[in-house]
Amino acid sequence: KGGLFNPHLQYGGGFDSRSLFATIVNALRTISAAVASSTSPGAEMMHIPNNLNGCGNEDTLPMMSYPTYKGDHRALNTVNLDIYYSACREAGVRCSHAYLYRDAYDVLLSAQKRGFNEDAVTAMRLYTLELQLLYAQMTQYPSGNAGCFGFLDSRVSLFFDEYSWFARMFGWTTTEAFMEVHGMVYSKANTAMRRRDPKIVKDEWSIIMDAFKLSHERVIDLCYSLMASP
């Protein structure tokens, strides 16, 4: 959180990328050692999510939805899989990544309601660039792709596949058992947030929006093709 993926946090002084990298490596080693020393059944292989929502706690990472945070350097607040996998190799642990996607119009509506961008056109350009960066990085680490998941809105035809990947990623042996628990804890998304706003994209902005949607679909297609690869 302190500047490796979020450059605007480095300008408070005292930024040291080596120290931050070492902190990540040591945290991964601590987790690995705890798993190795556990006597719990099934602890031979545990699936530990690195990226969880910190629920407002300043000492924990927020849910990493890129580009993260607000501010002048927002466009640079993006994930770097090279650093991520370098830290995993240094720590001697096996890591992977998963791609969470959301409908392009829903992204715009949510972000603009919370004032993340100056205007919708700026948002479309920024998110198109972010998707292009994600596409490039995902092609560089094809074997690390652990799944694709439609955040709030999984594609109906792919719903079971997506949940099967996530069940496996978190150590579940059967998707049916996972879905049973999922049904007990899942609450449906607020449909008011997801309702299409016809005014958010003006007709004269349609070319920029089309490029955004194209990049969005391209990354999803890549993610699924990687999951289908042997």
Side-chain angles (χ1 to χ4, degrees):
K1 180 178 179 179
L4 287 180
F5 295 166
N6 303 295
H8 73 284
L9 296 176
Q10 75 193 35
Y11 297 108
F15 172 71
D16 187 340
S17 63
R18 299 165 301 178
S19 176
L20 291 170
F21 185 81
T23 298
I24 294 172
V25 171
N26 289 335
L28 291 171
R29 286 174 174 167
T30 299
I31 294 171
S32 180
V35 171
S37 62
S38 175
T39 58
S40 301
E44 298 81 9
M45 175 63 72
M46 294 185 68
H47 301 73
I48 310 295
N50 295 320
N51 177 14
L52 288 177
N53 196 327
C55 298
N57 187 336
E58 292 183 358
D59 295 326
T60 60
L61 284 170
M63 183 172 57
M64 293 183 188
S65 178
Y66 298 102
T68 54
Y69 303 104
K70 300 179 182 179
D72 295 338
H73 305 282
R74 178 165 163 74
L76 298 177
N77 295 349
T78 186
V79 68
N80 188 319
L81 288 183
D82 287 331
I83 293 177
Y84 172 68
Y85 281 108
S86 292
C88 294
R89 287 193 296 269
E90 183 76 15
V93 298
R94 188 175 70 184
C95 293
S96 58
H97 63 268
Y99 179 60
L100 276 67
Y101 64 89
R102 188 176 184 182
D103 179 87
Y105 284 98
D106 287 346
V107 169
L108 280 181
L109 181 58
S110 175
Q112 294 310 104
K113 278 181 175 292
R114 292 181 289 166
F116 278 111
N117 307 287
E118 181 179 348
D119 52 56
V121 178
T122 300
M124 285 184 271
R125 293 184 187 277
L126 176 59
Y127 298 151
T128 299
L129 176 60
E130 182 67 31
L131 287 164
Q132 291 167 343
L133 289 171
L134 286 172
Y135 184 93
Q137 293 193 68
M138 288 170 68
T139 61
Q140 293 165 357
Y141 295 94
S143 62
N145 195 56
C148 325
F149 183 69
F151 179 63
L152 299 181
D153 190 21
S154 177
R155 291 179 174 181
V156 176
S157 61
L158 303 172
F159 178 86
F160 194 78
D161 286 340
E162 292 188 353
Y163 277 86
S164 296
W165 293 328
F166 271 72
R168 184 171 68 243
M169 186 170 64
F170 286 102
W172 293 78
T173 55
T174 67
T175 304
E176 290 76 11
F178 174 83
M179 292 305 298
E180 183 177 349
V181 175
H182 172 272
M184 293 187 291
V185 301
Y186 176 73
S187 60
K188 291 189 178 297
N190 182 351
T191 54
M193 171 62 77
R194 300 191 57 259
R195 193 176 297 129
R196 297 288 185 270
D197 184 347
K199 300 185 295 295
I200 197 167
V201 179
K202 298 179 181 179
D203 290 342
E204 53 265 40
W205 301 344
S206 61
I207 299 301
I208 305 301
M209 185 64 196
D210 288 345
F212 176 29
K213 291 190 294 184
L214 176 63
S215 294
H216 167 70
E217 294 295 332
R218 182 182 289 132
V219 178
I220 297 175
D221 291 343
L222 170 64
C223 188
Y224 274 91
S225 69
L226 294 175
M227 293 305 299
S229 301

